[in-house]
Amino acid sequence: MLYIIGLGLYDEQDITVRGLQAVKKCRRVFLEAYTSILLVEKEKLEHFYGKDIIVADREMVESQIEVILKDADREDVAFLVVGDPFGATTHTDLELRARALSIPTKVIHNASIMNAIGACGLQLYRFGEAISIVFFTDSWRPDSFYTRIAANRQRGLHTLCLLDIKVKEPSLESLARGRKVYEPPRYMTVNTAIEQLLEIEENRGEGAYGPDTLCVGVARLGADSQQIVAGTMKELRQADLGPPLHSLVIAGDTHVIEMEILSAYRIHGASSPGPSAVQCETH
């Protein structure tokens, strides 16, 4: 059996009881480590699960999938995913590959940013299509998601922005020289995401959003140190939400109850409706 198991958002204890039981009986355990990260070291997972863990980077998952699926028709193999197993299309592809080889699969779900984002006070059923924002480069500044933000806002819906992470990414210079040298890990902050969004709006000029658009920045959701900060794009551009991981919500039309909750997360000195509050750390 191939088990595809969600780990939740924070640490080694966020795995479900069912997921932990599955891990303990598996011969091999892989940890997918490039679409997201847990906020604890691999060694803590190994100690808690009682299993050695093989880190599966992008290269293994996308180009060496046979390493993971090897003998999974004769023994139990676990593939661990931060959040929920279907938070990335890569994991759907893994299940399809296993089925094509007649390997039985079982998915064990968990919390992900897609549902836990409701902690920010915006109601989940009022969210539209989510988008991903990648790091700009000198020659690549993609903005294809702009029309989706605009469509969500026209319908009064909120937009969850998933922010880029770069883990074990080869540098372009090294690839050009025919050998891989990996860049240090990078994690997009709310500040960088907003800077890029505002640059896109300035270039497009179609009014999907602007410096005064209400947003919510979220960091380390589910951790003891999680941060939730509400403010305009201009305000959040300067906010310090601390270490990764960060996410951003661009608000659509807001219900009075949503505004009441957001008022508790307003960045200090904000001028939007509702009582102002200092930047909040929630537990």
Side-chain angles (χ1 to χ4, degrees), residues 93-166:
D93 181 65
L94 174 63
E95 185 182 31
L96 290 172
R97 293 281 296 275
R99 289 182 178 182
L101 296 171
S102 299
I103 296 171
T105 62
K106 186 174 183 62
V107 175
I108 301 176
H109 295 281
N110 209 320
S112 77
I113 188 65
M114 301 295 285
N115 53 34
I117 195 63
C120 76
L122 297 175
Q123 297 166 0
L124 288 178
Y125 71 89
R126 297 172 63 87
F127 277 74
E129 185 176 359
I131 67 160
S132 296
I133 301 177
V134 300
F135 281 110
F136 280 175
T137 69
D138 292 339
S139 58
W140 190 52
R141 308 176 93 74
D143 64 358
S144 59
F145 53 75
Y146 180 89
T147 54
R148 282 177 279 164
I149 298 175
N152 285 343
R153 301 247 314 147
Q154 287 168 4
R155 298 169 59 198
L157 301 177
H158 313 310
T159 304
L160 171 61
C161 305
L162 305 174
L163 308 188
D164 198 8
I165 70 172
K166 299 288 188 186

Side-chain angles (χ1 to χ4, degrees), residues 29-72:
V29 180
F30 294 88
L31 172 64
E32 189 268 274
Y34 76 91
T35 61
S36 190
I37 59 167
L38 278 185
L39 302 179
V40 295
E41 302 82 6
K42 176 174 76 82
E43 290 73 20
K44 284 192 175 183
L45 299 182
E46 292 178 323
H47 178 74
F48 189 75
Y49 301 158
K51 291 285 183 177
D52 291 333
I53 292 176
I54 304 164
V55 174
D57 58 19
R58 180 190 294 271
E59 186 173 333
M60 177 182 288
V61 176
E62 293 186 347
S63 305
Q64 302 172 13
I65 201 71
E66 64 278 358
V67 174
I68 297 170
L69 297 179
K70 184 177 184 294
D71 297 330

